[in-house]
Amino acid sequence: MAVERLNSEEVHPEFPENGCVASENSSSGVLREYDESVAPYLGGFGKYQKQLILLTWIPALFIGYSQNSDSLLLAQPGYTCKSATVSLGNTTINPVSYVNTTNGSWTAYIHGNDSSNDINKTDCLCFDRKYNLSIGLVQNVVTKWNLVCDSTWKVHIAKFSLLVGLIFGYLVMGVLADWFGRQPVLIVSVFFILIFGLTVALSVNVTMFSTLRFFEGFCLAGIILTLYIMRIEMCDPGNRFMVTMVASFIALLGQLLLPGLAALCRDWQILQAVIICPFILMISFICIFPESLRWLLATQQYEKAKSLILQINKKNRVDSETDVKGIMPELERELAKKPKKTCIVKVVGTRNLWKNILVLCVNSLTGFGIHHCFARSMMKNKWENTTVSHNSDIHNMMLSNFYADYYTMAGIAVASCLAMCPAVGFMGRRGGLLMFMILTALASLLQLGFLNLIVTVDPVIGKYNLHHDTDLKETINRKFSIAFSIIGMFSSHAVGSLSIFFCAEITPTVIRGGGLGLVLASAGFGMLTAPIMELHNQKGYFLHHVIFACCTLICIICILLLPESRHQNLPETISDGEGYMRQPLLPPKKGGEQPLLLTNSELKDYSGIHETPVHLAASSDSNTDNVEKSS
């Protein structure tokens, strides 16, 4: 067997009373070996399983729409005063156009001959505005309720709502998926996302919008989590990563198509309804999509598992008489057993498993958290030293700015996923994660520590001099910062995505929902740093970047503590998860070497203590005492 299975006495020899481990091994070994025994009996990764995988890919497109909808629904527009003049103190100036920059501040451009007076962002004097929303929509949430100037903070709260809903959804739905099953949680999440998502389009104010977006995110988390788990649990070890990456590419396709969908809808309420309505198709999963057989067997629900096995055999046209390992007879003998379900809190009583989950939580938090730092560094100076004189120039500038930023982010994510495939295939899960984390740390440290002074060689005296050419320094610094930002965004996206997949593989089936929910929630906390920094007008941004840069160095060390799960069977119980032990990063040399840790018997033989006269004398005395006591 590829993954070493440890008995309860092997996992906790000095704590036999630990119930979360010792009580799990009462079930049949044949039924627990899903990948080796049950899956071959069902026809392996057969036609029926492939059809179900295809069904899980289709909603990934809708998920891609929903996850990225904030960038359009809450996009900050530029605007122009409709009035002929605007009063600034005791001075009357020409109409003003306000353009939102990438760091959340407002820049004012004065039309006409009075071009020397820039208006501070706190002087939002215009109350009769004409918005320039160059994102394909005629109206969005910001323009509908005038969320500009002093009301800009409400936009950031609205951005919080979806992310916070996702975080709580991952935590709660993960536990429910382990207790009630994957299918019920999926169907309930679909029903409620239709209710809350469509109600969002009917919001009458921004408070109602933000509240409903929280519940929409909560339900969306249940869909994302359960579909992810179902893909992992249906696949054989060789196809798990490929199936997951295809779903990621489809979600990225939804991100790329979203601006075109917005251009067709024109209004944010229509766009919101179009994003949510396709989830109606998932209601058919009640009749089509079965419960996870792996989870049924792991939780000893053998009555339901028996009927599902017969159904799968019929779909795959497998001859039930070719039961070499006696799956069905063993299942018949175990039918009287009561189901045993496990909660994620049981992981606290383990030694190895909690450490693996904690390391991956920190990795996902760091990956998605530092991703915002790189994104802001790349786009922060785009609007500086810009001069415009007409509304059409502002409109064109905003248009190019939004689409350039949006598709740059999406393109880097696509490139990152493309690079993950050969990297993970060649180096494995742990090696790939380590490589991308090292790239992230290097990009972050180089960006933070890049010299402000340019060192060049003096062509006359041949020595190094410092040239304080401000324009040249700023140009070179900006180019290097952009380069390091692109590399950092590329690698940090891979770190976050690979940490989530890694957790799904090493977490046991009985608590896979809870474990995966913890890592996804950590990723959500990392994404939450972006609206938090925007809410505080980027105050403390440098410290924010430094903290995450330090976390990358810690993560590099912690990744070495993880096991390798490539081509390994999924663990079913907590004791199986404890059996995922850390292997050397590099394969051992042929010919055999002295192990780092010797067993007690090997240590005794190696030390030669039993051959000393003192030890022989002590042994003879103890034997004599035993004889006297027995007599």
PDB file of all heavy atoms in Angstrom, residues 414-438:
ATOM      1  N   VAL A 414      -3.696  32.885 -14.851  1.00  0.00           N
ATOM      2  CA  VAL A 414      -3.674  31.804 -15.842  1.00  0.00           C
ATOM      3  C   VAL A 414      -2.265  31.271 -16.026  1.00  0.00           C
ATOM      4  O   VAL A 414      -2.032  30.049 -16.062  1.00  0.00           O
ATOM      5  CB  VAL A 414      -4.251  32.303 -17.184  1.00  0.00           C
ATOM      6  CG1 VAL A 414      -4.066  31.247 -18.269  1.00  0.00           C
ATOM      7  CG2 VAL A 414      -5.737  32.640 -17.039  1.00  0.00           C
ATOM      8  N   ALA A 415      -1.289  32.177 -16.147  1.00  0.00           N
ATOM      9  CA  ALA A 415       0.105  31.746 -16.301  1.00  0.00           C
ATOM     10  C   ALA A 415       0.584  30.963 -15.087  1.00  0.00           C
ATOM     11  O   ALA A 415       1.339  29.984 -15.211  1.00  0.00           O
ATOM     12  CB  ALA A 415       0.994  32.968 -16.538  1.00  0.00           C
ATOM     13  N   SER A 416       0.146  31.367 -13.912  1.00  0.00           N
ATOM     14  CA  SER A 416       0.529  30.659 -12.687  1.00  0.00           C
ATOM     15  C   SER A 416      -0.016  29.235 -12.684  1.00  0.00           C
ATOM     16  O   SER A 416       0.703  28.282 -12.334  1.00  0.00           O
ATOM     17  CB  SER A 416       0.014  31.429 -11.472  1.00  0.00           C
ATOM     18  OG  SER A 416       0.306  30.752 -10.280  1.00  0.00           O
ATOM     19  N   CYS A 417      -1.276  29.067 -13.067  1.00  0.00           N
ATOM     20  CA  CYS A 417      -1.862  27.719 -13.125  1.00  0.00           C
ATOM     21  C   CYS A 417      -1.185  26.863 -14.188  1.00  0.00           C
ATOM     22  O   CYS A 417      -0.984  25.658 -13.991  1.00  0.00           O
ATOM     23  CB  CYS A 417      -3.361  27.813 -13.394  1.00  0.00           C
ATOM     24  SG  CYS A 417      -4.320  28.498 -12.025  1.00  0.00           S
ATOM     25  N   LEU A 418      -0.832  27.479 -15.310  1.00  0.00           N
ATOM     26  CA  LEU A 418      -0.124  26.733 -16.353  1.00  0.00           C
ATOM     27  C   LEU A 418       1.238  26.257 -15.866  1.00  0.00           C
ATOM     28  O   LEU A 418       1.677  25.146 -16.181  1.00  0.00           O
ATOM     29  CB  LEU A 418       0.031  27.599 -17.600  1.00  0.00           C
ATOM     30  CG  LEU A 418      -1.230  27.865 -18.426  1.00  0.00           C
ATOM     31  CD1 LEU A 418      -0.946  28.878 -19.525  1.00  0.00           C
ATOM     32  CD2 LEU A 418      -1.762  26.563 -19.032  1.00  0.00           C
ATOM     33  N   ALA A 419       1.923  27.095 -15.093  1.00  0.00           N
ATOM     34  CA  ALA A 419       3.236  26.721 -14.585  1.00  0.00           C
ATOM     35  C   ALA A 419       3.148  25.661 -13.490  1.00  0.00           C
ATOM     36  O   ALA A 419       4.083  24.871 -13.302  1.00  0.00           O
ATOM     37  CB  ALA A 419       3.958  27.952 -14.057  1.00  0.00           C
ATOM     38  N   MET A 420       2.030  25.653 -12.754  1.00  0.00           N
ATOM     39  CA  MET A 420       1.877  24.664 -11.687  1.00  0.00           C
ATOM     40  C   MET A 420       1.838  23.241 -12.226  1.00  0.00           C
ATOM     41  O   MET A 420       2.342  22.311 -11.561  1.00  0.00           O
ATOM     42  CB  MET A 420       0.591  24.944 -10.907  1.00  0.00           C
ATOM     43  CG  MET A 420       0.671  26.098  -9.943  1.00  0.00           C
ATOM     44  SD  MET A 420      -0.941  26.479  -9.222  1.00  0.00           S
ATOM     45  CE  MET A 420      -1.343  24.908  -8.433  1.00  0.00           C
ATOM     46  N   CYS A 421       1.268  23.040 -13.397  1.00  0.00           N
ATOM     47  CA  CYS A 421       1.083  21.681 -13.914  1.00  0.00           C
ATOM     48  C   CYS A 421       2.414  20.948 -14.110  1.00  0.00           C
ATOM     49  O   CYS A 421       2.611  19.860 -13.547  1.00  0.00           O
ATOM     50  CB  CYS A 421       0.273  21.733 -15.214  1.00  0.00           C
ATOM     51  SG  CYS A 421      -1.398  22.384 -15.003  1.00  0.00           S
ATOM     52  N   PRO A 422       3.378  21.486 -14.884  1.00  0.00           N
ATOM     53  CA  PRO A 422       4.650  20.761 -15.010  1.00  0.00           C
ATOM     54  C   PRO A 422       5.471  20.772 -13.730  1.00  0.00           C
ATOM     55  O   PRO A 422       6.187  19.803 -13.439  1.00  0.00           O
ATOM     56  CB  PRO A 422       5.369  21.518 -16.140  1.00  0.00           C
ATOM     57  CG  PRO A 422       4.776  22.872 -16.145  1.00  0.00           C
ATOM     58  CD  PRO A 422       3.344  22.686 -15.732  1.00  0.00           C
ATOM     59  N   ALA A 423       5.375  21.864 -12.940  1.00  0.00           N
ATOM     60  CA  ALA A 423       6.172  21.941 -11.718  1.00  0.00           C
ATOM     61  C   ALA A 423       5.751  20.867 -10.718  1.00  0.00           C
ATOM     62  O   ALA A 423       6.598  20.164 -10.145  1.00  0.00           O
ATOM     63  CB  ALA A 423       6.031  23.330 -11.092  1.00  0.00           C
ATOM     64  N   VAL A 424       4.443  20.722 -10.508  1.00  0.00           N
ATOM     65  CA  VAL A 424       3.953  19.714  -9.566  1.00  0.00           C
ATOM     66  C   VAL A 424       4.159  18.309 -10.128  1.00  0.00           C
ATOM     67  O   VAL A 424       4.466  17.371  -9.390  1.00  0.00           O
ATOM     68  CB  VAL A 424       2.468  19.973  -9.241  1.00  0.00           C
ATOM     69  CG1 VAL A 424       1.885  18.854  -8.404  1.00  0.00           C
ATOM     70  CG2 VAL A 424       2.316  21.308  -8.525  1.00  0.00           C
ATOM     71  N   GLY A 425       4.015  18.151 -11.446  1.00  0.00           N
ATOM     72  CA  GLY A 425       4.237  16.847 -12.044  1.00  0.00           C
ATOM     73  C   GLY A 425       5.677  16.385 -11.928  1.00  0.00           C
ATOM     74  O   GLY A 425       5.952  15.183 -11.796  1.00  0.00           O
ATOM     75  N   PHE A 426       6.611  17.319 -11.963  1.00  0.00           N
ATOM     76  CA  PHE A 426       8.036  16.962 -11.908  1.00  0.00           C
ATOM     77  C   PHE A 426       8.564  16.888 -10.480  1.00  0.00           C
ATOM     78  O   PHE A 426       9.297  15.968 -10.129  1.00  0.00           O
ATOM     79  CB  PHE A 426       8.847  17.991 -12.710  1.00  0.00           C
ATOM     80  CG  PHE A 426      10.322  17.734 -12.710  1.00  0.00           C
ATOM     81  CD1 PHE A 426      10.864  16.679 -13.439  1.00  0.00           C
ATOM     82  CD2 PHE A 426      11.179  18.542 -11.982  1.00  0.00           C
ATOM     83  CE1 PHE A 426      12.224  16.434 -13.435  1.00  0.00           C
ATOM     84  CE2 PHE A 426      12.542  18.305 -11.964  1.00  0.00           C
ATOM     85  CZ  PHE A 426      13.076  17.248 -12.700  1.00  0.00           C
ATOM     86  N   MET A 427       8.179  17.857  -9.646  1.00  0.00           N
ATOM     87  CA  MET A 427       8.746  17.942  -8.292  1.00  0.00           C
ATOM     88  C   MET A 427       7.808  17.454  -7.199  1.00  0.00           C
ATOM     89  O   MET A 427       8.217  17.343  -6.043  1.00  0.00           O
ATOM     90  CB  MET A 427       9.141  19.393  -7.995  1.00  0.00           C
ATOM     91  CG  MET A 427      10.283  19.896  -8.838  1.00  0.00           C
ATOM     92  SD  MET A 427      10.780  21.581  -8.405  1.00  0.00           S
ATOM     93  CE  MET A 427       9.345  22.472  -8.980  1.00  0.00           C
ATOM     94  N   GLY A 428       6.553  17.176  -7.521  1.00  0.00           N
ATOM     95  CA  GLY A 428       5.610  16.756  -6.500  1.00  0.00           C
ATOM     96  C   GLY A 428       4.944  17.938  -5.823  1.00  0.00           C
ATOM     97  O   GLY A 428       5.254  19.105  -6.090  1.00  0.00           O
ATOM     98  N   ARG A 429       4.020  17.639  -4.901  1.00  0.00           N
ATOM     99  CA  ARG A 429       3.270  18.699  -4.226  1.00  0.00           C
ATOM    100  C   ARG A 429       4.189  19.533  -3.331  1.00  0.00           C
ATOM    101  O   ARG A 429       4.192  20.764  -3.393  1.00  0.00           O
ATOM    102  CB  ARG A 429       2.165  18.109  -3.361  1.00  0.00           C
ATOM    103  CG  ARG A 429       0.902  17.684  -4.064  1.00  0.00           C
ATOM    104  CD  ARG A 429       1.057  16.702  -5.149  1.00  0.00           C
ATOM    105  NE  ARG A 429      -0.166  16.005  -5.458  1.00  0.00           N
ATOM    106  CZ  ARG A 429      -0.419  15.469  -6.639  1.00  0.00           C
ATOM    107  NH1 ARG A 429       0.453  15.584  -7.635  1.00  0.00           N
ATOM    108  NH2 ARG A 429      -1.541  14.807  -6.848  1.00  0.00           N
ATOM    109  N   ARG A 430       4.976  18.877  -2.513  1.00  0.00           N
ATOM    110  CA  ARG A 430       5.828  19.605  -1.569  1.00  0.00           C
ATOM    111  C   ARG A 430       6.942  20.364  -2.293  1.00  0.00           C
ATOM    112  O   ARG A 430       7.225  21.524  -1.974  1.00  0.00           O
ATOM    113  CB  ARG A 430       6.420  18.631  -0.547  1.00  0.00           C
ATOM    114  CG  ARG A 430       7.253  19.313   0.509  1.00  0.00           C
ATOM    115  CD  ARG A 430       7.723  18.349   1.567  1.00  0.00           C
ATOM    116  NE  ARG A 430       8.535  17.272   1.016  1.00  0.00           N
ATOM    117  CZ  ARG A 430       9.276  16.450   1.736  1.00  0.00           C
ATOM    118  NH1 ARG A 430       9.296  16.584   3.040  1.00  0.00           N
ATOM    119  NH2 ARG A 430       9.973  15.485   1.175  1.00  0.00           N
ATOM    120  N   GLY A 431       7.573  19.719  -3.271  1.00  0.00           N
ATOM    121  CA  GLY A 431       8.637  20.390  -4.004  1.00  0.00           C
ATOM    122  C   GLY A 431       8.140  21.589  -4.786  1.00  0.00           C
ATOM    123  O   GLY A 431       8.786  22.647  -4.813  1.00  0.00           O
ATOM    124  N   GLY A 432       6.956  21.454  -5.424  1.00  0.00           N
ATOM    125  CA  GLY A 432       6.392  22.588  -6.157  1.00  0.00           C
ATOM    126  C   GLY A 432       6.018  23.724  -5.234  1.00  0.00           C
ATOM    127  O   GLY A 432       6.269  24.900  -5.536  1.00  0.00           O
ATOM    128  N   LEU A 433       5.405  23.405  -4.094  1.00  0.00           N
ATOM    129  CA  LEU A 433       5.027  24.436  -3.137  1.00  0.00           C
ATOM    130  C   LEU A 433       6.264  25.153  -2.603  1.00  0.00           C
ATOM    131  O   LEU A 433       6.265  26.390  -2.452  1.00  0.00           O
ATOM    132  CB  LEU A 433       4.235  23.802  -1.987  1.00  0.00           C
ATOM    133  CG  LEU A 433       3.686  24.742  -0.915  1.00  0.00           C
ATOM    134  CD1 LEU A 433       2.753  25.777  -1.515  1.00  0.00           C
ATOM    135  CD2 LEU A 433       2.976  23.948   0.177  1.00  0.00           C
ATOM    136  N   LEU A 434       7.322  24.410  -2.338  1.00  0.00           N
ATOM    137  CA  LEU A 434       8.559  25.012  -1.844  1.00  0.00           C
ATOM    138  C   LEU A 434       9.176  25.936  -2.887  1.00  0.00           C
ATOM    139  O   LEU A 434       9.636  27.045  -2.564  1.00  0.00           O
ATOM    140  CB  LEU A 434       9.542  23.913  -1.450  1.00  0.00           C
ATOM    141  CG  LEU A 434      10.891  24.368  -0.889  1.00  0.00           C
ATOM    142  CD1 LEU A 434      10.691  25.148   0.406  1.00  0.00           C
ATOM    143  CD2 LEU A 434      11.806  23.170  -0.658  1.00  0.00           C
ATOM    144  N   MET A 435       9.180  25.520  -4.150  1.00  0.00           N
ATOM    145  CA  MET A 435       9.767  26.348  -5.196  1.00  0.00           C
ATOM    146  C   MET A 435       9.009  27.670  -5.356  1.00  0.00           C
ATOM    147  O   MET A 435       9.620  28.751  -5.426  1.00  0.00           O
ATOM    148  CB  MET A 435       9.755  25.589  -6.523  1.00  0.00           C
ATOM    149  CG  MET A 435      10.419  26.357  -7.667  1.00  0.00           C
ATOM    150  SD  MET A 435      10.049  25.697  -9.293  1.00  0.00           S
ATOM    151  CE  MET A 435       8.339  26.193  -9.494  1.00  0.00           C
ATOM    152  N   PHE A 436       7.683  27.612  -5.399  1.00  0.00           N
ATOM    153  CA  PHE A 436       6.905  28.832  -5.572  1.00  0.00           C
ATOM    154  C   PHE A 436       7.003  29.733  -4.344  1.00  0.00           C
ATOM    155  O   PHE A 436       6.982  30.969  -4.482  1.00  0.00           O
ATOM    156  CB  PHE A 436       5.443  28.488  -5.865  1.00  0.00           C
ATOM    157  CG  PHE A 436       5.206  27.954  -7.241  1.00  0.00           C
ATOM    158  CD1 PHE A 436       4.718  26.672  -7.442  1.00  0.00           C
ATOM    159  CD2 PHE A 436       5.492  28.726  -8.357  1.00  0.00           C
ATOM    160  CE1 PHE A 436       4.505  26.170  -8.721  1.00  0.00           C
ATOM    161  CE2 PHE A 436       5.282  28.233  -9.635  1.00  0.00           C
ATOM    162  CZ  PHE A 436       4.793  26.960  -9.817  1.00  0.00           C
ATOM    163  N   MET A 437       7.125  29.164  -3.163  1.00  0.00           N
ATOM    164  CA  MET A 437       7.279  29.995  -1.966  1.00  0.00           C
ATOM    165  C   MET A 437       8.637  30.684  -1.953  1.00  0.00           C
ATOM    166  O   MET A 437       8.756  31.849  -1.530  1.00  0.00           O
ATOM    167  CB  MET A 437       7.101  29.147  -0.706  1.00  0.00           C
ATOM    168  CG  MET A 437       7.143  29.944   0.583  1.00  0.00           C
ATOM    169  SD  MET A 437       5.847  31.210   0.690  1.00  0.00           S
ATOM    170  CE  MET A 437       4.452  30.203   1.159  1.00  0.00           C
ATOM    171  N   ILE A 438       9.670  30.012  -2.411  1.00  0.00           N
ATOM    172  CA  ILE A 438      10.989  30.646  -2.500  1.00  0.00           C
ATOM    173  C   ILE A 438      10.958  31.799  -3.496  1.00  0.00           C
ATOM    174  O   ILE A 438      11.526  32.875  -3.249  1.00  0.00           O
ATOM    175  CB  ILE A 438      12.057  29.596  -2.889  1.00  0.00           C
ATOM    176  CG1 ILE A 438      12.277  28.608  -1.733  1.00  0.00           C
ATOM    177  CG2 ILE A 438      13.378  30.268  -3.248  1.00  0.00           C
ATOM    178  CD1 ILE A 438      13.201  27.461  -2.074  1.00  0.00           C
TER     179      ILE A 438
END
